[in-house]
Amino acid sequence: MMLRIFLSDLHLDDPQSRIFNGFAACLRSESKQVDEIYILGDLVEMWIGDDDDSPIALALADLLQTISKRCAVFLMHGNRDFLFGSKFADRTGVTLIDDPSTLDDSIVLSHGDALCTDDSAYQELREILRGEVWQNETLSKSLAERQIFGKALRAESIANNANKSSAIMDVNADAVTDLIGANIKTFIHGHTHRPGIHQIAERKAERIVLGDWGDCGWLCRQVNDTFSLECFNLAHRYEI
Ligand code: MN
């Protein structure tokens, strides 16, 4: 019996928010029944380094520390939180996983932003931000400097995306096909905020897109070979 849940795109920024409380209640409940929890990126709105001492950073570390004692928790970088590092992993007991990652030779996991290849400006930026040079330089700055920089980056991203067509901001079909090997049956990703289940005809595989948390929470549930996409009321599904 293998029970897993997959979620992404919570964009947490406030420990007092409905989303954070709903997420905490979800993890507390699910960690009693599933074997593994996978968070596929953009868990937080912005991560500026493992020394972040903002209220959301501290609350999140506390929560994950509790949950990872009950159930294995895996964390993948998203485009907002790619600076999660080994210090955060050690402190919270979560395991950082690569993007993409493969499970059981049949499931591929990704955040999804690397597959939005039609957005060439974003891919150029991504290459810089994910590079060692930029990251070492950034992390050597003081926390206060990184806080200012994080806010600027966030504002710039909103301004840039406002002018892009929605097709450009979705995953590219060829990029998806290239990623999916012959034995893969299930591909799970987030990022695009377009939850749904699609067939990848060329690969006889299914692409499950997680939703962003807002009015409701989203997760993909695996029970052995069966995957389902669930959307639930944050206040009512789990007792808060
Ligand atoms: Mn994203």
Side-chain angles (χ1 to χ4, degrees):
M1 191 77 170
M2 177 52 84
L3 301 177
R4 292 174 172 134
I5 56 168
F6 306 86
L7 40 115
S8 70
D9 301 282
L10 292 101
H11 296 268
L12 301 174
D13 64 357
D14 175 6
Q16 309 294 336
S17 65
R18 203 169 54 96
I19 294 181
F20 184 82
N21 288 324
F23 172 62
C26 171
L27 290 194
R28 279 196 283 269
S29 170
E30 295 290 349
S31 61
K32 288 181 202 151
Q33 41 182 336
V34 303
D35 302 301
E36 296 175 339
I37 296 172
Y38 289 83
I39 303 168
L40 302 184
D42 290 358
L43 172 58
V44 292
E45 183 65 9
M46 179 69 67
W47 193 258
I48 53 173
D50 292 350
D51 54 346
D52 191 347
D53 59 1
S54 64
I56 187 61
L58 300 178
L60 181 64
D62 273 358
L63 173 65
L64 292 177
Q65 207 170 39
T66 307
I67 300 302
S68 69
K69 283 184 186 131
R70 296 188 201 159
C71 162
V73 180
F74 299 88
L75 180 62
M76 182 181 279
H77 289 150
N79 52 301
R80 309 295 182 107
D81 49 18
F82 55 85
L83 287 178
F84 274 132
S86 55
K87 284 202 184 102
F88 183 77
D90 290 346
R91 184 153 57 109
T92 56
V94 308
T95 304
L96 288 173
I97 55 171
D98 289 339
D99 181 0
S101 281
T102 302
L103 306 179
D104 309 332
D105 293 323
S106 64
I107 306 162
V108 170
L109 310 176
S110 175
H111 178 58
D113 61 315
L115 300 167
C116 297
T117 53
D118 295 333
D119 188 349
S120 51
Y122 171 70
Q123 294 302 332
E124 272 171 40
L125 177 68
R126 185 180 192 276
E127 200 156 318
I128 295 167
L129 298 182
R130 301 300 182 93
E132 226 170 282
V133 174
W134 183 89
Q135 294 199 1
N136 287 341
E137 198 187 317
T138 302
L139 290 173
S140 70
K141 292 186 164 79
S142 72
L143 182 59
E145 280 176 291
R146 277 176 279 133
Q147 280 162 341
I148 294 165
F149 170 74
K151 276 188 191 138
L153 197 69
R154 181 77 197 91
E156 199 177 289
S157 158
I158 291 172
N160 283 340
N161 290 343
N163 298 320
K164 281 177 190 165
S165 78
S166 61
I168 270 182
M169 292 172 71
D170 203 355
V171 295
N172 174 287
D174 292 336
V176 170
T177 313
D178 288 348
L179 181 73
I180 304 300
N183 299 322
I184 302 301
K185 293 273 167 277
T186 310
F187 171 39
I188 306 171
H189 72 84
H191 180 66
T192 59
H193 301 189
R194 295 173 194 203
I197 301 181
H198 308 271
Q199 302 304 316
I200 308 170
E202 301 93 322
R203 293 286 185 271
K204 294 195 173 66
E206 216 168 46
R207 177 168 71 92
I208 301 176
V209 187
L210 300 165
D212 57 313
W213 289 43
D215 293 334
C216 62
W218 289 90
L219 58 84
C220 172
R221 184 180 303 279
Q222 177 188 359
V223 180
N224 296 327
D225 294 334
T226 307
F227 295 81
S228 54
L229 184 61
E230 303 177 3
C231 171
F232 53 89
N233 186 308
L234 283 176
H236 298 140
R237 162 104 172 246
Y238 304 98
E239 217 167 299
I240 293 182

